[in-house]
Amino acid sequence: MKVQDMPYERVDFAQVEAEMKELMKELEEAESGEAQFAVHQKYYALTDRVSTLMTIAQIRFDGDTSDEFYDKEHQYYDEKGPLYSNLVLEYQKKLYASPYRAYLEEKIGPVAFKNMELAQKSMNEKIIPLMQEENSLTMEYDKLIAKARIAFDGKELNLSLLRPYLISPDRAVRAKAWERMSAFFEENADKLDEIFDRLVKNRTRQAKEMGYENYLELGYFRMNRNCYGREEVEAFRRQIKEYFVPFAERLHEQRRKRLGLDRLSFIDEQVYFAQGNPAPTGSPEEILKAGQRMYEELSPETKEFFDFMMENQLFDVLGRKNKRAGGYMTYLPLYGAPFIFANFNGTSGDVDVITHECGHAFQGYLSGKDPIREHRDIGMETAEIHSMSMEFFAEQWMPLFFGDKAQDYVTMHLEDAAAFIPYGCMVDEFQHIVYENPNMTPKERKAAWRELEKEYKPHLDYGEDRFFGQGGFWQKQLHIYDYPLYYIDYCLAQTCALQYKIKMDEDFGGAWDSYLKLCKLSASDFYTNLLKEAGLESPFEGGCIKNIVEKLEKYVK
């Protein structure tokens, strides 16, 4: 069914509660593992229905944040969502304590039960009001960013539509575009600080109410980190500082020379060629058509997936006013349908949607066929491998999108992927500092960010910029506001994607078989075990990052 034709009605949570209570009663009365699993399949049907309707409301609101009807629906789910989460948790507690646990674990897997344990550690009825407040605050941030109106080039642009000017080959143009963006954030600095300060204190109160010292422990549980913790993440960041930051800095120096500049300014950060970054040659419709051809040629599985996406119009990718910034893939369980949301703006990022978000969607399409719903509950550090690796698998089809600039795109893509890892680790370390010190002032937070920039991105020069130069760049990173502690997952995944880059250059077919296996494994095993089964090194292992850097050096030379 085409996404615009999917019927929507507001979820009646009183009715959902009654149905869930009945399922809990049936679960308690069941006299065998088989009978309990039959009840659990009814639970799948109920939660699939609720999830689908909530997702439809979300994507329609994101498509137009000024739509009054879906704005009210969004507020309704922000209020009721934590109550529903608590209801799900009640059910899961009964399943977790089942006398037929061995049978159920055989059916749905040990990962599912570990995740139930983490859910119990991350949610309690007493913090529902705080969770509702947190949802309201993140929506306040999203609306503030979505409503940005920047006068430029005779047009009124939002932040997504400003991006082509931020990477313009004309340095004067991009300097002016960055100046306008900085001015927007400076004008809203007090509000941005206020929202974030309230979020930090809110999340800290949630953690305290749950008996934790600060938000970090609670945040790790909420991110479903079921086989590693802070020590492993800190060890990973140390490897990045020791081996990857120097490698990334060599790439920045190479880029500086290519651009013919005496020094790199922050306005040059995402510019890779003096004549401009490669841009797709076609219209949005042509980009989607080229994507269809690419996935047809890549494998039978990807052909089936992308044809399904096109037939059911499961893309909302055109940039427009009042549309939420950013991009994502989500899933509509009742229809077995992934959905991709993005903001095309005429840059190479449009093609990244067809690779990165489609990597997520492809895996979602495959896991949607699995009758065990818990296998969809993939940790983000695994989910981002699917997306980031697909970017590399797609490289040989880049002439379809970039014509004779395809090799420039491949060069840019590798350099961009490498430059991202230090930035992503910096975002993560910043959040650890913030949540360990929740009473920091806005000024102290910005000073902490500037110190981390010197460590992770020593080449960075903000000149006289009054906002970004004072440590404000993180406030344009929506994940820090909306999805705390998420960002390190991108970095962990990128190290795995780079391993696939190395593998596919040696044996493309073997690398693809490994990737397909990883996608099909879904969340049937723990992250570190999944990597071993797919033949990848864990980023937590000593020597992993050093090994990757040594193998990537050939691309620099």
Side-chain angles (χ1 to χ4, degrees), residues 211-275:
Y212 305 124
E213 181 181 356
N214 56 45
Y215 180 73
L216 291 176
E217 192 171 3
L218 176 59
Y220 269 62
F221 291 149
R222 286 189 173 166
M223 288 302 297
N224 262 4
R225 291 180 181 153
N226 51 31
C227 63
Y228 64 93
R230 288 174 62 184
E231 287 185 10
E232 287 83 359
V233 170
E234 288 166 6
F236 171 71
R237 291 201 309 255
R238 284 196 297 271
Q239 284 193 73
I240 295 303
K241 288 178 187 177
E242 184 175 357
Y243 299 109
F244 216 94
V245 168
F247 173 67
E249 288 300 303
R250 291 197 293 277
L251 291 178
H252 286 302
E253 176 60 14
Q254 184 172 277
R255 183 168 59 86
R256 181 193 67 76
K257 292 177 181 177
R258 191 190 305 134
L259 293 172
L261 299 173
D262 293 330
R263 64 179 178 83
L264 286 173
S265 163
F266 78 105
I267 70 169
D268 309 311
E269 272 299 275
Q270 293 180 306
V271 179
Y272 291 86
F273 297 93
Q275 70 274 22

Side-chain angles (χ1 to χ4, degrees), residues 114-399:
K114 182 64 178 178
N115 289 346
M116 288 179 211
E117 178 188 323
L118 298 186
Q120 291 173 47
K121 291 179 177 179
S122 63
M123 174 69 189
N124 189 291
E125 191 172 1
K126 64 186 176 183
I127 65 170
I128 287 175
L130 287 170
M131 294 175 72
Q132 292 170 326
E133 180 188 52
E134 180 186 13
N135 286 340
S136 296
L137 289 168
T138 58
M139 183 166 72
E140 196 174 341
Y141 172 79
D142 291 343
K143 283 186 172 181
L144 178 64
I145 298 301
K147 289 179 179 176
R149 294 293 175 270
I150 297 174
F152 201 88
D153 195 25
K155 304 169 188 171
E156 189 179 69
L157 306 173
N158 63 19
L159 294 180
S160 295
L161 297 175
L162 183 67
R163 177 161 171 75
Y165 300 98
L166 296 171
I167 59 171
S168 169
D170 185 330
R171 202 160 188 256
V173 170
R174 66 178 182 264
K176 179 60 72 174
W178 276 103
E179 182 183 312
R180 295 284 173 83
M181 176 182 266
S182 180
F184 165 77
F185 279 93
E186 188 176 19
E187 287 164 14
N188 292 279
D190 289 344
K191 189 63 181 174
L192 289 164
D193 284 333
E194 178 210 330
I195 293 170
F196 190 67
D197 195 63
R198 290 171 66 193
L199 277 169
V200 170
K201 289 178 169 54
N202 172 290
R203 288 165 179 156
T204 300
R205 286 199 303 275
Q206 289 186 49
K208 298 280 189 185
E209 287 286 333
M210 294 289 290
Y212 305 124
E213 181 181 356
N214 56 45
Y215 180 73
L216 291 176
E217 192 171 3
L218 176 59
Y220 269 62
F221 291 149
R222 286 189 173 166
M223 288 302 297
N224 262 4
R225 291 180 181 153
N226 51 31
C227 63
Y228 64 93
R230 288 174 62 184
E231 287 185 10
E232 287 83 359
V233 170
E234 288 166 6
F236 171 71
R237 291 201 309 255
R238 284 196 297 271
Q239 284 193 73
I240 295 303
K241 288 178 187 177
E242 184 175 357
Y243 299 109
F244 216 94
V245 168
F247 173 67
E249 288 300 303
R250 291 197 293 277
L251 291 178
H252 286 302
E253 176 60 14
Q254 184 172 277
R255 183 168 59 86
R256 181 193 67 76
K257 292 177 181 177
R258 191 190 305 134
L259 293 172
L261 299 173
D262 293 330
R263 64 179 178 83
L264 286 173
S265 163
F266 78 105
I267 70 169
D268 309 311
E269 272 299 275
Q270 293 180 306
V271 179
Y272 291 86
F273 297 93
Q275 70 274 22
N277 293 350
T281 57
S283 66
E285 293 75 18
E286 289 169 329
I287 290 171
L288 289 169
K289 196 70 178 172
Q292 191 163 23
R293 178 179 165 187
M294 175 179 75
Y295 285 115
E296 178 180 351
E297 294 177 2
L298 177 55
S299 78
E301 293 88 352
T302 52
K303 178 186 187 309
E304 177 188 313
F305 147 72
F306 204 84
D307 287 350
F308 176 83
M309 296 289 289
M310 292 291 281
E311 286 164 13
N312 292 286
Q313 298 177 10
L314 293 162
F315 293 94
D316 178 4
V317 296
L318 299 180
R320 3 174 235 283
K321 291 179 182 178
N322 297 319
K323 187 176 181 182
R324 181 184 174 181
Y328 58 78
M329 185 284 291
T330 189
Y331 189 75
L332 297 149
L334 282 185
Y335 304 99
F339 175 82
I340 288 176
F341 177 92
N343 286 270
F344 275 16
N345 52 25
T347 70
S348 62
D350 299 353
V351 178
D352 296 336
V353 170
I354 303 302
T355 57
H356 181 100
E357 298 303 342
C358 281
H360 284 307
F362 174 60
Q363 197 283 327
Y365 181 75
L366 293 177
S367 64
K369 298 176 184 296
D370 191 327
I372 304 303
R373 297 291 187 267
E374 286 80 6
H375 290 174
R376 295 178 189 164
D377 297 334
I378 302 166
M380 291 300 102
E381 73 289 291
T382 307
E384 295 300 342
I385 301 175
H386 308 139
S387 56
M388 291 176 157
S389 301
M390 186 65 87
E391 295 175 27
F392 287 114
F393 281 109
E395 282 185 343
Q396 63 180 276
W397 284 273
M398 288 303 103

